[in-house]
């Protein structure tokens, strides 16, 4: 659900599917929850780079990575390009936002890795 409704946040799926969780979530102390969110944001994104990681940390990531730009202030094409330039083995998707869905992204990952049989790899599109 997060893919289709990112404004709902990371809890959207469980809120929609677990009534007990949803009720507990609604009863919690709002100020305390907002403090947790602010602390998480500040801890995860403590740098000026779009990923929150430092340049040195990104350059040290020497494993294949797939970067796909989004369509909001935090997932821009320019942010994706910065990440691609810093990460030695990153691949930047050329899929336009209107082309991005589970099937096309799965195909792009398989093609980028040279794996063309998604069923064999366990990748579910």
């Amino acid at each position: 659900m997060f893919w289709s409704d990112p404004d709902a946040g990371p809890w959207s799926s469980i809120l929609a599917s677990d009534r007990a969780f949803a009720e507990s979530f609604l009863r919690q102390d709002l100020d305390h929850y907002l403090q947790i969110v602010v602390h998480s944001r500040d801890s995860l994104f403590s740098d000026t780079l779009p990923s929150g990681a430092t340049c040195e940390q990104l350059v040290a990531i020497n494993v294949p990575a797939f970067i796909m730009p989004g369509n909001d202030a935090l997932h821009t094409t320019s942010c994706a390009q910065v990440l691609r330039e810093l990460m030695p083995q990153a691949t930047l998707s050329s899929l336009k936002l209107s082309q991005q869905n589970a099937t096309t992204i799965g195909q792009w990952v398989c093609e980028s890795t040279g794996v063309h049989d998604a069923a064999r790899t366990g990748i579910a599109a």
Side-chain angles (χ1 to χ4, degrees):
M1 290 178 66
F2 186 72
W3 183 269
S4 63
D5 187 13
D7 290 340
W11 305 113
S12 60
S13 259
I14 194 163
L15 286 169
S17 64
D18 185 332
R19 183 181 176 114
F21 178 86
E23 290 172 358
S24 171
F25 188 82
L26 288 172
R27 284 192 309 269
Q28 73 178 316
D29 180 278
L30 179 61
D31 289 333
H32 180 67
Y33 178 72
L34 293 176
Q35 289 173 356
I36 292 169
V37 171
V38 168
H39 178 72
S40 297
R41 177 203 62 204
D42 293 346
S43 296
L44 288 172
F45 306 108
S46 59
D47 198 300
T48 57
L49 289 173
S51 67
T54 66
C55 288
E56 294 80 16
Q57 290 169 326
L58 291 169
V59 170
I61 298 175
N62 201 17
V63 296
F66 299 100
I67 301 171
M68 182 158 301
N71 190 29
D72 60 47
L74 298 175
H75 301 91
T76 63
T77 301
S78 60
C79 289
Q81 290 168 341
V82 168
L83 291 174
R84 167 55 199 109
E85 290 176 10
L86 291 170
M87 297 172 69
Q89 292 190 50
T91 301
L92 179 61
S93 171
S94 61
L95 291 171
K96 296 181 181 5
L97 185 65
S98 62
Q99 298 171 309
Q100 295 176 12
N101 60 54
T103 301
T104 59
I105 293 168
Q107 290 170 344
W108 171 68
V109 170
C110 288
E111 290 168 5
S112 297
T113 60
V115 176
H116 295 286
D117 185 359
R120 225 173 4 128
T121 63
I123 297 173

